[in-house]
Amino acid sequence: GENVEQHPSTLSVQEGDSAVIKCTYSDSASNYFPWYKQELGKRPQLIIDIRSNVGEKKDQRIAVTLNKTAKHFSLHITETQPEDSAVYFCAANSGGYQKVTFGTGTKLQVIP
Amino acid sequence: DTEVTQTPKHLVMGMTNKKSLKCEQHMGHRAMYWYKQKAKKPPELMFVYSYEKLSINESVPSRFSPECPNSSLLNLHLHALQPEDSALYLCASSPGMAGGPGGQFFGPGTRLTVL
């Protein structure tokens, strides 16, 4: 089955700096890569996703890049704000695309 | 209505009790999911329903029994649980398959404690 590794497990940045979270996946058949943000005590929420036919996607301060050859994808957050503090999970689809496999999560802390 | 709702928010039960978790969505999504999430861990898939039929069971113990009465409702029946089953139980729905564009919409979860 699919295996998704995520690094780092924790990340602290100063407000206004950029943050980068990296993931690797194992199944070359995976073609959809969502990112979820989970604030403390809240539900996971989809913040951005990318399909394998696209190398990069941006949405305001958030961007995701995908390297299919290397099986890497990354989340980039620019101009970080305290409200960006949360746990971020990457994921990759698998199992006939009926499910996604989540990475282990990155706890991002933005220091004001 | 663009939310997934879950009841109850909190549940404390003994190992001999029978209880049920309820999930509801009115977004017309045809796929619904149950996840279990332990503290500081990612959501762990338990069941997938597609068009009201169980399509994936991730080898979940039989003390967890899912039910999809209609396209808007998803239940999880609990019986003879163990203390290690204590966790946050998340329901989710998706417009297409979870592994397709649009992702999943999660409910707020039920915090379950088994004594």
Side-chain angles (χ1 to χ4, degrees), chain A residues 24-108:
Chain A
T24 60
Y25 62 99
S26 60
D27 188 351
S28 57
S30 294
N31 64 0
Y32 174 68
F33 308 91
W35 286 87
Y36 288 85
K37 173 184 180 182
Q38 187 173 25
E39 296 177 58
L40 188 63
K42 300 287 183 65
R43 72 190 79 190
Q45 290 192 299
L46 179 71
I47 55 172
I48 195 166
D49 56 9
I50 191 168
R51 300 180 72 174
S52 59
N53 59 349
V54 175
E56 183 176 3
K57 183 177 178 180
K58 289 184 180 179
D59 183 2
Q60 299 183 333
R61 297 185 297 107
I62 293 174
V64 58
T65 58
L66 172 65
N67 182 328
K68 278 195 67 179
T69 303
K71 296 181 188 170
H72 289 172
F73 59 113
S74 300
L75 179 71
H76 304 254
I77 305 174
T78 59
E79 301 173 16
T80 53
Q81 302 169 1
E83 52 265 37
D84 294 328
S85 296
V87 177
Y88 291 80
F89 293 102
C90 63
N93 64 350
S94 61
Y97 311 133
Q98 289 193 82
K99 63 180 183 179
V100 293
T101 299
F102 286 90
T104 49
T106 296
K107 183 177 181 181
L108 173 64

Side-chain angles (χ1 to χ4, degrees), chain B residues 48-68:
Chain B
V48 178
Y49 272 84
S50 178
Y51 289 88
E52 302 164 43
K53 292 186 178 178
L54 183 65
S55 60
I56 294 179
N57 176 342
E58 294 284 81
S59 302
V60 178
S62 60
R63 58 185 183 269
F64 296 91
S65 176
E67 178 195 20
C68 188

Side-chain angles (χ1 to χ4, degrees), chain B residues 64-77:
Chain B
F64 296 91
S65 176
E67 178 195 20
C68 188
N70 59 55
S71 60
S72 299
L73 286 175
L74 188 65
N75 298 322
L76 186 63
H77 303 297

